[in-house]
Amino acid sequence: MAHGLDDVETGQAAALPRRAADRILAFVNDLVVKASSAALVAAGFVLTYSVIVRYFLKISTDWQDETSVFLIIGAVFLSSAAVQAMRGHVAIETIVGLLPPRVNRIRRILVDIGSLAFCAFFAWKSWTLLEEAWVEGYHSGSTWGPPLWIPYSLMTVGMTLLSIQILLQVIDELASRSRPR
Amino acid sequence: MSLLSIGLLYGGATLFVMFLGMPIAFALGAVATLFMIMFMPSGSVDTITQNVYEEMASITLLSIPLFILKGAAIGRSPAGKDLYGALHAWMHWIPGGLGIANVFACALFAAMAGSSPATCSAIGSAGIPEMRKHGYSPGFASGIIAAGGTLGILLPPSITMILYAVAAEQSLGRLFLAAIGPALLLVALFAGYAMWKFRREFQAALVQYKLAGVHSELLQVDTLTVYDKFALLPRVLPFVILLTGVMIALYGGYATPSETAGLGAVLALGLIASIYSVWTPRELEPILIATLRESTMLMLIIGMSLLYSYVMSYLHISQSTAQWIVSLELSRWVLLTAILLMVVVLGFFLPPVSIILMTAPIILPPLKAAGFDLIWFGVIMTIIMEMGLIHPPVGLNIFVIKNIAPDIPLRDVVWGVMPFVGLMMFAVLVLCIFPEIATWFADAIMGPK
């Protein structure tokens, strides 16, 4: 990005904490993507193990399906911030391309604020659900019956990260808008 | 507020935020949440996250990321190139054999990878240059690949089919089997067209040669030795074994569909490790990141679509619309045509995943009331959504082709693809007249419904 000189002088102080936040989140996302990848592969192995155990060793399976559900749901929610960082959540862009650049920038900011509002609301409700599950000791209804705070906490952390990611993107956009280009 | 106005407002608000360009998952979630707050009892908003979790925590739905992992593992390895090379070696003697080999390669690859864009780029990156080198017109070459790639959402293990099975509460195994006959029909139509079109281009080249002495690569005949033919086979065999192994595990009753997904992913990773020595974390990273990116995007859309339909059904919007459609007492075929047209229009803008989850509660009850087999309809609807992958304005596969062959003008790609859209419409018509093409195979293996 090309800045004017004045811009560098005045903008840098405000930009520093923002860049630090960007860097921290990028680092967290990187870790989370690695963990999610491992979780996905692990789920594959758990299900394979389930087939082998049931058909060759004739042992009944009870925990495999639910474990894979937790692993995959965790991978999906946790990596949603990383996907948002790549702008990987698809949107309909048919009309967007026809807008003049100025209007389009405003539209983009509005859309991101809307996404942020929804994700933050969802994250907040996930926290209350997690608290409820923890305090009341919710368990899944299956015979194995694992505690539900495990998947709920993965969902909660994932949605919180996603909200922070969108928030940083909104701040970035507002900052770049106030700067002359 | 009357039910009609709430329904119209719900639909209108959704269209508005979606066309504003908000990511589909968030748009669906936001509209659903807003309507929960405005029109549903205050307690219901508190259960929104539990709702989404419970809808998503189904092992059938969560098998989707594993199928994507299997596809990505195969798609990012040189398997596509090998598969294509072997088929070409065996089919080059047929007029238009190269084009036909590409159609077959797409179908086989699609069945292994289960993804339409992955098939296009895996087979197309080897197939399009090869076809052009042999004098095929660029439009024709890209049409074959774009259309062949769409078989990915029809052939098992198609993600689209998994969602349809969940939304329509139909047996996934039966649905997979019902897709095989129609997929073979499409392969035959595509191959037949490739042969016919090749002959036309060949004749034109011949006339040019006789009149003006312009030599075309089309007139060149390839010679491949028996050694060439057999040399490529060992590389393809393991993948064919993977494909059949997974099918046997599923239909032999050894594994559930989700276990099959896990097994397939592990086997695919094992095969690329042993055949192409892709196994270090550094080499696996692009495969895993591509998988996560696609799965997370899809699963969030799925979760939010389910929330969206939950709200739609709680507010009785879906039931009333369905009842209204039934009350019109349209004749069966008018009803089917109207519904399919709606799917075509939605296909202009929305990915198949959202179309299925958003429309199923509205369109399936009237179709059932009119006596249509929902397994058969799942196949028809999928073929219609395949068309949406190759026709403008969205046509995902067209853009994949643009990526792998950037020098072919978009115009040529679009015109090259159009005959295939026609062939798909023809296939839908044939399936309406002979529904047995879809239902017979499933009935034969799993017993009548």
Side-chain angles (χ1 to χ4, degrees):
Chain A
M1 231 186 294
H3 307 269
L5 247 187
D6 298 352
D7 193 47
V8 173
E9 281 165 7
T10 51
Q12 218 161 36
L16 268 179
R18 211 173 70 229
R19 286 202 194 121
D22 276 344
R23 263 209 305 276
I24 294 170
L25 193 64
F27 175 74
V28 173
N29 277 342
D30 187 48
L31 278 185
V32 158
V33 163
K34 288 198 168 97
S36 303
S37 304
L40 217 53
V41 175
F45 276 100
V46 167
L47 288 169
T48 307
Y49 170 79
S50 164
V51 179
I52 294 171
V53 172
R54 201 172 55 239
Y55 269 87
F56 296 97
L57 308 175
K58 313 278 177 216
I59 301 171
S60 70
T61 49
D62 55 355
W63 55 270
Q64 287 85 346
D65 269 14
E66 231 161 357
T67 308
S68 343
V69 166
F70 289 1
L71 284 168
I72 299 174
I73 243 184
V76 164
F77 276 107
L78 285 178
S79 56
S80 61
V83 172
Q84 174 66 24
M86 302 185 254
R87 292 270 173 196
H89 292 289
V90 289
I92 300 175
E93 312 240 314
T94 328
I95 290 178
V96 174
L98 307 173
L99 296 174
R102 246 184 102 85
V103 182
N104 198 21
R105 211 158 52 223
I106 297 170
R107 174 205 65 87
R108 203 175 148 112
I109 292 171
L110 283 180
V111 158
D112 278 354
I113 291 175
S115 303
L116 174 63
F118 168 68
C119 293
F121 181 79
F122 199 95
W124 170 49
K125 287 293 174 193
S126 306
W127 281 105
T128 55
L129 176 69
L130 174 60
E131 193 205 353
E132 203 180 309
W134 178 266
V135 173
E136 309 277 331
Y138 287 167
H139 283 257
S140 127
S142 66
T143 41
W144 181 44
L148 280 176
W149 63 261
I150 302 173
Y152 288 169
S153 60
L154 296 170
M155 177 165 78
T156 307
V157 174
M159 287 310 285
T160 309
L161 278 176
L162 175 61
S163 307
I164 297 173
Q165 178 68 57
I166 305 178
L167 177 69
L168 286 179
Q169 284 172 332
V170 170
I171 294 175
D172 267 355
E173 271 159 30
L174 288 174
S176 73
R177 215 176 77 86
S178 60
R179 270 201 304 266
R181 280 183 181 236
Chain B
M1 206 185 258
S2 77
L3 190 59
L4 180 66
S5 0
I6 295 180
L8 288 177
L9 205 61
Y10 198 58
T14 314
L15 287 180
F16 177 74
V17 283
M18 275 196 181
F19 279 103
L20 210 55
M22 188 185 271
I24 295 174
F26 307 150
L28 291 172
V31 172
T33 311
L34 205 64
F35 275 69
M36 270 178 140
I37 295 171
M38 288 195 313
F39 299 108
M40 284 165 67
S42 58
S44 61
V45 184
D46 294 330
T47 60
I48 164 178
T49 45
Q50 199 174 2
N51 211 307
V52 170
Y53 173 79
E54 275 166 13
E55 297 272 18
M56 278 176 85
S58 119
I59 187 70
T60 312
L61 280 182
L62 290 174
S63 65
I64 290 173
L66 293 171
F67 279 124
I68 295 177
L69 176 60
K70 171 171 160 243
I74 295 173
R76 297 226 159 197
S77 71
K81 208 167 145 247
D82 284 352
L83 179 68
Y84 160 78
L87 283 171
H88 175 209
W90 287 86
M91 300 178 109
H92 74 99
W93 56 273
I94 309 172
L98 182 59
I100 299 175
N102 271 289
V103 173
F104 279 38
C106 279
L108 274 175
F109 194 86
M112 292 193 295
S115 150
S116 183
T119 306
C120 270
S121 66
I123 303 297
S125 48
I128 292 181
E130 192 70 20
M131 281 191 276
R132 293 176 77 189
K133 209 170 83 191
H134 284 76
Y136 283 55
S137 67
F140 179 32
S142 28
I144 288 180
I145 297 296
T150 64
L151 294 166
I153 68 166
L154 185 61
L155 280 164
S158 141
I159 291 162
T160 314
M161 289 275 179
I162 297 178
L163 282 171
Y164 181 84
V166 172
E169 295 173 353
Q170 298 292 316
S171 146
L172 179 59
R174 190 178 282 275
L175 201 58
F176 274 173
L177 287 175
I180 293 177
L184 292 180
L185 171 69
L186 281 174
V187 168
L189 285 174
F190 293 170
Y193 171 77
M195 206 191 254
W196 177 79
K197 175 84 176 163
F198 173 81
R199 278 173 178 274
R200 271 184 55 141
E201 291 197 348
F202 183 85
Q203 290 301 337
L206 204 61
V207 169
Q208 278 285 318
Y209 180 64
K210 282 184 181 152
L211 282 180
V214 186
H215 184 74
S216 161
E217 298 296 335
L218 270 181
L219 307 173
Q220 203 87 22
V221 180
D222 272 350
T223 41
L224 283 161
T225 62
V226 178
Y227 173 79
D228 290 334
K229 291 185 178 178
F230 281 96
L232 277 166
L233 271 191
R235 288 211 150 195
V236 179
L237 268 180
F239 291 95
V240 177
I241 292 170
L242 165 71
L243 179 66
T244 42
V246 163
M247 284 293 127
I248 291 171
L250 181 60
Y251 290 106
Y254 300 98
T256 60
S258 40
E259 285 169 349
T260 311
L263 196 65
V266 169
L267 283 178
L269 287 174
L271 280 172
I272 61 165
S274 52
I275 298 182
Y276 300 106
S277 4
V278 176
W279 60 273
T280 58
R282 179 191 277 272
E283 287 167 317
L284 289 177
E285 200 183 325
I287 295 177
L288 290 164
I289 288 187
T291 306
L292 271 181
R293 186 179 166 143
E294 198 183 335
S295 331
T296 300
M297 182 268 288
L298 265 180
M299 292 310 296
L300 276 195
I301 294 185
I302 292 170
M304 296 311 162
S305 299
L306 290 168
L307 178 72
Y308 183 86
S309 350
Y310 163 76
V311 173
M312 194 157 71
S313 123
Y314 189 97
L315 295 174
H316 276 273
I317 299 171
S318 29
Q319 295 88 326
S320 313
T321 319
Q323 270 163 19
W324 172 72
I325 298 176
V326 172
S327 74
L328 290 176
E329 290 182 8
L330 300 170
S331 81
R332 292 181 78 197
W333 299 107
V334 175
L335 173 73
L336 184 74
T337 315
I339 286 177
L340 290 181
L341 276 178
M342 187 188 76
V343 176
V344 170
V345 172
L346 288 176
F348 285 168
F349 312 105
L350 288 175
V353 174
S354 330
I355 301 182
I356 291 182
L357 294 175
M358 288 165 65
T359 61
I362 296 176
I363 62 174
L364 295 182
L367 283 168
K368 205 172 173 181
F372 285 108
D373 177 6
L374 290 188
I375 295 268
W376 169 86
F377 178 73
V379 175
I380 297 277
M381 186 172 174
T382 306
I383 298 179
I384 297 281
M385 289 185 298
E386 277 186 84
M387 286 164 41
L389 290 175
I390 56 172
H391 65 57
V394 179
L396 185 59
N397 287 8
I398 294 181
F399 293 99
V400 177
I401 304 275
K402 268 312 277 178
N403 258 333
I404 52 179
D407 63 311
I408 303 179
L410 194 60
R411 229 182 101 89
D412 284 10
V413 180
V414 171
W415 281 114
V417 157
M418 279 308 156
F420 291 92
V421 176
L423 288 174
M424 287 174 174
M425 281 189 202
F426 178 69
V428 168
L429 211 63
V430 171
L431 282 168
C432 288
I433 303 170
F434 304 106
E436 296 81 14
I437 298 174
T439 52
W440 176 82
F441 192 47
D443 287 348
I445 297 216
M446 299 183 71
K449 238 189 353 175

